Amino acid sequence: MSRYDPSVIEPKWQSAWDKAQTFRATRDGDKPKYYVLEMFPYPSGRIHIGHVRNYTMGDVIARYKLSTGHNVLHPMGFDAFGMPAENAAMKSGGHPKTWTYENIDTMVEQMKPLGFGLDWSRMFATCDPEYYGQQQALFLDFLEAGLVYRKNAIVNWDPVDMTVLANEQVIDGKGWRSGADVERRELTQWFFKISGMAGELLDAIDSLDEWPAKVKLMQQNWIGKSRGLQFAWDLTEPTHGHDKIEVYTTRPDTLMGASFLGLSPDHPLTKALEADNPDLAAAVAEMRRGGTTEEALEKAEKLGFDTGLKVQHPLDPSWEIPVWVANFILMDYGTGAIFACPAHDQRDLDFCRKYDLPVIDTFRALENGTPVENEAFVPLKTEKVRWLNHFAGLDVATGQEAVDTTIDWMQAKGLGEGVEKFRLRDWGLSRQRYWGCPIPIVYCDTCGVVPEKKENLPIALPFDNGNEEIDFSVPGNPLDRHPTWRDCACPKCGAPAKRETDTMDTFVDSSWYYARFTAPRAETPTDPDEANYWMNVDQYIGGIEHAILHLLYSRFFARGMIKTGHLPETAAEPFNALFTQGMVTHAIFQTTGKDGRPVYHYPEDVDLRDGKGFLNDGTEVTIVPSAKMSKSKNNVVDPMHIIAQYGADTARWFVLSDSPPERDVEWTASGAEAAHKHLSRVYRVAAEAAASDAPGNDHDTALLKEMHKAIFDVTQGVESFGFNASIAKLYAFTNTVAKSKAGSAAKREAVKTLVHLMSPMTPHLAEEVWSMLGGEGLIANAPWPVADEKMLVEDSVTLPIQINGKRRGEITVAKDLDKAEVERQALAHEAVQRALDGATPKKVIVVPGRIVNVVV
RNA sequence: GCAGGUGUGGCGGAACGGUAGACGCGGCGGAUUCAAAAUCCGCUUCCCGAAAGGGAGUGUGGGUUCGAUUCCCACCACCUGUACCA
């Protein structure tokens, strides 16, 4: 009898699928279409076990849908622009393009042996000029449709390297290479007008029935709709052309608790004052130190500077409050100015205590309300509180009632306006980098800012132009330094002009690739027929880290593409269903070095015994379980080693088996070995069944009944992303088949069904066994088994009996036995009799088919 | 800081408000073997007990319920995002 040898059978079936073009996406017949897409990878160099898990999940769905009669589109590509390629060029020389395409080749070579049912003919990388040229066409159409504009934005500036830094290049407020203190600086940048769609993007979330609730909630909070009051405070003395300061507040009801008026360091008035007030300029410079992330801004120590200006309270002109500049006020939100009410906002309170500003309560708790000391009183807006001195005459009311009343009252008096605002900011797409999609804009001395003509696209990066003089030896944007690339003719007047040297944010690349996959070689961004047929993505799969930005930008882009005629109206929400999968983790094995620092050891150097790990020389290592895989911790598992050792099917089986797909899974050597043992067992059981000639007997029905239960359970698992549950059932069913004394015909049927149910996860093994047992054609194309409902019915049921909620016994009764009889039998049970000791039960709860609980 | 999530045996994890620990790993015992590997069979939450049985138990502390891993409140720890990492 032959043994299970994945190194022989896997290449064999891969070439069989290739030959039959099994996974080529086609629009044939009247079959329904199904588009399954996994978030495409960044070409970092090698595939990661996390990729294996991600693509295996997609492959299970793709193969399952193929066998349930769908035309399936399951493509693969690469998100290939971005900083790591430039970093590699800076570090080791060479060119980002060479590095990127070499990495792509390697990764494709590594993915093919995994046997994914992908339509490789559609592959592209976002750095292909054929792709980014179409992206430039989209940009021009978006510009024409009013979805793109220019304004100033704040960036991380490294004053030593004289360059813009990405957030991840700012470490503790310092530039990662220069170590210099990073400053926040303004630059003119291109923006997508996503804020104009904020309301629509928010409302449409409700229609995303097959998205995880957590992702929808995160997007809702990110868009952040609020209703508040916008109104002005008059300056007691006009200055620098300002006679009042506009503020926006979501808590206008606390107006009588105003302590000071706060300006953002980037507010126009702040900038005006800075010019002739050196002390203020110095304070603001201090406030502008550090990175631009929201986290850095929020966690920074609260700093303030008294401008000396005063404003009049809108309800009482004799009440003047000071104007401060404060570093925690964001220019991007509202009007860049606030009034502070320290009694009901912890941040304001901390600031007022630090700078000795007044704290005035406006409301207190209904019971035991005490004045605010060092903890702001911030009840839920739905909670009733007692107002101390409310101008609109409120006494006891909730915060929400007070806000509404105040807005109405202020509006009626003409003192302000109720407005809706969103937290969502416009999407800045300009990057001062080389390895990205050039922004197709030309600056002409006479014509100004001119969009490039479509017939001149793609505006290719200098390397793609055949001009390779790219210099990464100094920081900054090589396009900006390139001797000739930026020189061009003005598309409008033909005079010599200069190109935009900024490239696009890589989020742009990934915001429409799903649409491009429907017609990857089209001469326009999309082909209407193909887009109409294949859109939307029926199932999108990727990491939770993309829950907000990538998915929100894609939703925006789909709408923009509808507006510009590149997608049908029905594609406004491009992803019908979303699934967010967890990471693959691995233990870290560490010892302590002589210098006291941790030393990390590769898994292959560690011998595991009884839950402890030892090095070759007998040194025990500390095991840190379930850590994110990271090269620096030496706990990365290379899928290629696993394939060499056990085969692709084992790797696929294991990444699905041990954890629910949305959760992290820990890779363990013993788990991988167990998966391999199980696949060998299936092969053995199949070979035995193939060789057996046992006659049919009275065990046949029991086996076939179990088979139909397995069909039902496994199918349900696959349909609901419960792959680990499907696999648990498949383990159990394998056990049943192996132990069954049924005849050979029934056994062969059971084994064929077993491997059919396994085929989305372990497709090579399934094909091999299928052909061994005389299955017709490829199992990949065979129709999915259907459970016979008659075989699922059980006629009796075992009910646990609880006494006071604790399980004390069980009874087996006919499935539809009536409640009174179940109760009678339960009470007759010896454990119940013992517990009752002659008394009558206080209560008996009978849940039909479930449980009996006797309360004594 | 803010937003979202997660927390169950020695380990990964299972459980429409209804038998907590399915399935797998590890461990223990047995079969097979000259022996081993491989394979097969059984046991395995913890504590007390020879057993029958009893007690405890799903991050912590409360609450709702006949019954809570599941629902509610407060807290702790970890993970993800935080708009220029992708």
Side-chain angles (χ1 to χ4, degrees), chain A residues 781-799:
Chain A
N781 289 321
W784 189 255
V786 178
D788 180 350
E789 292 201 15
K790 288 194 292 282
M791 300 291 272
L792 301 175
V793 187
E794 293 291 346
D795 36 12
S796 71
V797 60
T798 300
L799 296 179

PDB file of all heavy atoms in Angstrom, chain A residues 781-799:
ATOM      1  N   ASN A 781     -14.204  20.236  -9.387  1.00  0.00           N
ATOM      2  CA  ASN A 781     -15.381  20.560 -10.184  1.00  0.00           C
ATOM      3  C   ASN A 781     -16.617  19.761  -9.789  1.00  0.00           C
ATOM      4  O   ASN A 781     -17.709  20.016 -10.300  1.00  0.00           O
ATOM      5  CB  ASN A 781     -15.096  20.305 -11.667  1.00  0.00           C
ATOM      6  CG  ASN A 781     -14.131  21.324 -12.232  1.00  0.00           C
ATOM      7  OD1 ASN A 781     -14.202  22.494 -11.887  1.00  0.00           O
ATOM      8  ND2 ASN A 781     -13.207  20.864 -13.059  1.00  0.00           N
ATOM      9  N   ALA A 782     -16.445  18.756  -8.915  1.00  0.00           N
ATOM     10  CA  ALA A 782     -17.580  17.899  -8.564  1.00  0.00           C
ATOM     11  C   ALA A 782     -18.570  18.658  -7.694  1.00  0.00           C
ATOM     12  O   ALA A 782     -18.168  19.461  -6.846  1.00  0.00           O
ATOM     13  CB  ALA A 782     -17.074  16.667  -7.831  1.00  0.00           C
ATOM     14  N   PRO A 783     -19.868  18.442  -7.914  1.00  0.00           N
ATOM     15  CA  PRO A 783     -20.853  19.172  -7.110  1.00  0.00           C
ATOM     16  C   PRO A 783     -20.762  18.815  -5.623  1.00  0.00           C
ATOM     17  O   PRO A 783     -20.616  17.655  -5.274  1.00  0.00           O
ATOM     18  CB  PRO A 783     -22.200  18.764  -7.702  1.00  0.00           C
ATOM     19  CG  PRO A 783     -21.936  17.684  -8.665  1.00  0.00           C
ATOM     20  CD  PRO A 783     -20.482  17.606  -8.938  1.00  0.00           C
ATOM     21  N   TRP A 784     -20.834  19.821  -4.807  1.00  0.00           N
ATOM     22  CA  TRP A 784     -20.721  19.690  -3.347  1.00  0.00           C
ATOM     23  C   TRP A 784     -21.798  18.739  -2.814  1.00  0.00           C
ATOM     24  O   TRP A 784     -22.947  18.821  -3.261  1.00  0.00           O
ATOM     25  CB  TRP A 784     -20.884  21.071  -2.722  1.00  0.00           C
ATOM     26  CG  TRP A 784     -20.579  21.145  -1.256  1.00  0.00           C
ATOM     27  CD1 TRP A 784     -21.479  21.242  -0.233  1.00  0.00           C
ATOM     28  CD2 TRP A 784     -19.296  21.143  -0.648  1.00  0.00           C
ATOM     29  NE1 TRP A 784     -20.835  21.301   0.963  1.00  0.00           N
ATOM     30  CE2 TRP A 784     -19.470  21.243   0.748  1.00  0.00           C
ATOM     31  CE3 TRP A 784     -17.979  21.064  -1.139  1.00  0.00           C
ATOM     32  CZ2 TRP A 784     -18.412  21.264   1.658  1.00  0.00           C
ATOM     33  CZ3 TRP A 784     -16.926  21.089  -0.234  1.00  0.00           C
ATOM     34  CH2 TRP A 784     -17.146  21.185   1.151  1.00  0.00           C
ATOM     35  N   PRO A 785     -21.436  17.843  -1.884  1.00  0.00           N
ATOM     36  CA  PRO A 785     -22.444  16.917  -1.349  1.00  0.00           C
ATOM     37  C   PRO A 785     -23.574  17.642  -0.606  1.00  0.00           C
ATOM     38  O   PRO A 785     -23.355  18.689  -0.008  1.00  0.00           O
ATOM     39  CB  PRO A 785     -21.656  16.029  -0.384  1.00  0.00           C
ATOM     40  CG  PRO A 785     -20.293  16.589  -0.276  1.00  0.00           C
ATOM     41  CD  PRO A 785     -20.103  17.633  -1.309  1.00  0.00           C
ATOM     42  N   VAL A 786     -24.748  17.072  -0.690  1.00  0.00           N
ATOM     43  CA  VAL A 786     -25.911  17.668  -0.026  1.00  0.00           C
ATOM     44  C   VAL A 786     -26.430  16.674   1.011  1.00  0.00           C
ATOM     45  O   VAL A 786     -26.560  15.486   0.730  1.00  0.00           O
ATOM     46  CB  VAL A 786     -27.016  17.972  -1.058  1.00  0.00           C
ATOM     47  CG1 VAL A 786     -28.244  18.542  -0.366  1.00  0.00           C
ATOM     48  CG2 VAL A 786     -26.502  18.941  -2.111  1.00  0.00           C
ATOM     49  N   ALA A 787     -26.690  17.191   2.217  1.00  0.00           N
ATOM     50  CA  ALA A 787     -27.170  16.311   3.292  1.00  0.00           C
ATOM     51  C   ALA A 787     -28.627  15.933   3.048  1.00  0.00           C
ATOM     52  O   ALA A 787     -29.446  16.775   2.686  1.00  0.00           O
ATOM     53  CB  ALA A 787     -27.020  17.023   4.634  1.00  0.00           C
ATOM     54  N   ASP A 788     -28.915  14.658   3.249  1.00  0.00           N
ATOM     55  CA  ASP A 788     -30.290  14.170   3.153  1.00  0.00           C
ATOM     56  C   ASP A 788     -30.963  14.364   4.512  1.00  0.00           C
ATOM     57  O   ASP A 788     -30.576  13.755   5.499  1.00  0.00           O
ATOM     58  CB  ASP A 788     -30.268  12.682   2.776  1.00  0.00           C
ATOM     59  CG  ASP A 788     -31.672  12.112   2.650  1.00  0.00           C
ATOM     60  OD1 ASP A 788     -32.634  12.810   3.045  1.00  0.00           O
ATOM     61  OD2 ASP A 788     -31.785  10.965   2.179  1.00  0.00           O
ATOM     62  N   GLU A 789     -31.972  15.232   4.524  1.00  0.00           N
ATOM     63  CA  GLU A 789     -32.579  15.599   5.814  1.00  0.00           C
ATOM     64  C   GLU A 789     -33.149  14.408   6.565  1.00  0.00           C
ATOM     65  O   GLU A 789     -33.147  14.374   7.789  1.00  0.00           O
ATOM     66  CB  GLU A 789     -33.658  16.664   5.601  1.00  0.00           C
ATOM     67  CG  GLU A 789     -33.035  17.968   5.169  1.00  0.00           C
ATOM     68  CD  GLU A 789     -33.937  19.160   5.433  1.00  0.00           C
ATOM     69  OE1 GLU A 789     -34.909  19.013   6.202  1.00  0.00           O
ATOM     70  OE2 GLU A 789     -33.659  20.220   4.858  1.00  0.00           O
ATOM     71  N   LYS A 790     -33.641  13.424   5.788  1.00  0.00           N
ATOM     72  CA  LYS A 790     -34.225  12.248   6.443  1.00  0.00           C
ATOM     73  C   LYS A 790     -33.177  11.519   7.286  1.00  0.00           C
ATOM     74  O   LYS A 790     -33.491  10.886   8.270  1.00  0.00           O
ATOM     75  CB  LYS A 790     -34.790  11.289   5.382  1.00  0.00           C
ATOM     76  CG  LYS A 790     -36.042  11.794   4.713  1.00  0.00           C
ATOM     77  CD  LYS A 790     -36.761  10.686   3.938  1.00  0.00           C
ATOM     78  CE  LYS A 790     -35.971  10.218   2.734  1.00  0.00           C
ATOM     79  NZ  LYS A 790     -36.037  11.110   1.557  1.00  0.00           N
ATOM     80  N   MET A 791     -31.917  11.630   6.863  1.00  0.00           N
ATOM     81  CA  MET A 791     -30.845  10.936   7.569  1.00  0.00           C
ATOM     82  C   MET A 791     -30.388  11.702   8.811  1.00  0.00           C
ATOM     83  O   MET A 791     -29.560  11.218   9.576  1.00  0.00           O
ATOM     84  CB  MET A 791     -29.641  10.740   6.637  1.00  0.00           C
ATOM     85  CG  MET A 791     -29.933   9.935   5.405  1.00  0.00           C
ATOM     86  SD  MET A 791     -30.250   8.198   5.803  1.00  0.00           S
ATOM     87  CE  MET A 791     -28.572   7.533   5.745  1.00  0.00           C
ATOM     88  N   LEU A 792     -30.869  12.925   8.983  1.00  0.00           N
ATOM     89  CA  LEU A 792     -30.410  13.749  10.104  1.00  0.00           C
ATOM     90  C   LEU A 792     -31.297  13.600  11.328  1.00  0.00           C
ATOM     91  O   LEU A 792     -30.945  14.026  12.426  1.00  0.00           O
ATOM     92  CB  LEU A 792     -30.370  15.231   9.687  1.00  0.00           C
ATOM     93  CG  LEU A 792     -29.463  15.573   8.508  1.00  0.00           C
ATOM     94  CD1 LEU A 792     -29.609  17.037   8.137  1.00  0.00           C
ATOM     95  CD2 LEU A 792     -28.017  15.249   8.817  1.00  0.00           C
ATOM     96  N   VAL A 793     -32.469  12.997  11.128  1.00  0.00           N
ATOM     97  CA  VAL A 793     -33.452  12.951  12.205  1.00  0.00           C
ATOM     98  C   VAL A 793     -33.093  11.898  13.248  1.00  0.00           C
ATOM     99  O   VAL A 793     -32.779  10.767  12.917  1.00  0.00           O
ATOM    100  CB  VAL A 793     -34.853  12.634  11.630  1.00  0.00           C
ATOM    101  CG1 VAL A 793     -35.907  12.755  12.722  1.00  0.00           C
ATOM    102  CG2 VAL A 793     -35.170  13.578  10.484  1.00  0.00           C
ATOM    103  N   GLU A 794     -33.133  12.289  14.505  1.00  0.00           N
ATOM    104  CA  GLU A 794     -32.939  11.356  15.616  1.00  0.00           C
ATOM    105  C   GLU A 794     -34.288  11.138  16.276  1.00  0.00           C
ATOM    106  O   GLU A 794     -35.077  12.062  16.389  1.00  0.00           O
ATOM    107  CB  GLU A 794     -31.972  11.951  16.652  1.00  0.00           C
ATOM    108  CG  GLU A 794     -30.551  12.099  16.160  1.00  0.00           C
ATOM    109  CD  GLU A 794     -29.858  10.748  15.962  1.00  0.00           C
ATOM    110  OE1 GLU A 794     -30.384   9.726  16.457  1.00  0.00           O
ATOM    111  OE2 GLU A 794     -28.801  10.722  15.304  1.00  0.00           O
ATOM    112  N   ASP A 795     -34.559   9.894  16.733  1.00  0.00           N
ATOM    113  CA  ASP A 795     -35.882   9.715  17.346  1.00  0.00           C
ATOM    114  C   ASP A 795     -35.866   9.787  18.859  1.00  0.00           C
ATOM    115  O   ASP A 795     -36.905   9.905  19.490  1.00  0.00           O
ATOM    116  CB  ASP A 795     -36.586   8.442  16.835  1.00  0.00           C
ATOM    117  CG  ASP A 795     -35.596   7.313  16.611  1.00  0.00           C
ATOM    118  OD1 ASP A 795     -34.442   7.478  17.067  1.00  0.00           O
ATOM    119  OD2 ASP A 795     -35.968   6.313  16.004  1.00  0.00           O
ATOM    120  N   SER A 796     -34.679   9.739  19.476  1.00  0.00           N
ATOM    121  CA  SER A 796     -34.688   9.941  20.923  1.00  0.00           C
ATOM    122  C   SER A 796     -33.655  10.998  21.285  1.00  0.00           C
ATOM    123  O   SER A 796     -32.793  11.344  20.485  1.00  0.00           O
ATOM    124  CB  SER A 796     -34.380   8.633  21.635  1.00  0.00           C
ATOM    125  OG  SER A 796     -33.032   8.288  21.441  1.00  0.00           O
ATOM    126  N   VAL A 797     -33.776  11.531  22.498  1.00  0.00           N
ATOM    127  CA  VAL A 797     -32.929  12.633  22.903  1.00  0.00           C
ATOM    128  C   VAL A 797     -32.559  12.460  24.375  1.00  0.00           C
ATOM    129  O   VAL A 797     -33.355  11.958  25.159  1.00  0.00           O
ATOM    130  CB  VAL A 797     -33.643  13.982  22.633  1.00  0.00           C
ATOM    131  CG1 VAL A 797     -34.936  14.092  23.391  1.00  0.00           C
ATOM    132  CG2 VAL A 797     -32.731  15.158  22.915  1.00  0.00           C
ATOM    133  N   THR A 798     -31.331  12.805  24.716  1.00  0.00           N
ATOM    134  CA  THR A 798     -30.873  12.701  26.110  1.00  0.00           C
ATOM    135  C   THR A 798     -30.975  14.078  26.766  1.00  0.00           C
ATOM    136  O   THR A 798     -30.391  15.041  26.278  1.00  0.00           O
ATOM    137  CB  THR A 798     -29.431  12.191  26.160  1.00  0.00           C
ATOM    138  OG1 THR A 798     -29.386  10.905  25.539  1.00  0.00           O
ATOM    139  CG2 THR A 798     -28.948  12.069  27.591  1.00  0.00           C
ATOM    140  N   LEU A 799     -31.752  14.129  27.848  1.00  0.00           N
ATOM    141  CA  LEU A 799     -31.941  15.402  28.548  1.00  0.00           C
ATOM    142  C   LEU A 799     -31.180  15.398  29.857  1.00  0.00           C
ATOM    143  O   LEU A 799     -31.338  14.484  30.665  1.00  0.00           O
ATOM    144  CB  LEU A 799     -33.428  15.616  28.868  1.00  0.00           C
ATOM    145  CG  LEU A 799     -34.393  15.751  27.695  1.00  0.00           C
ATOM    146  CD1 LEU A 799     -35.806  15.920  28.222  1.00  0.00           C
ATOM    147  CD2 LEU A 799     -34.012  16.924  26.824  1.00  0.00           C
TER     148      LEU A 799
END
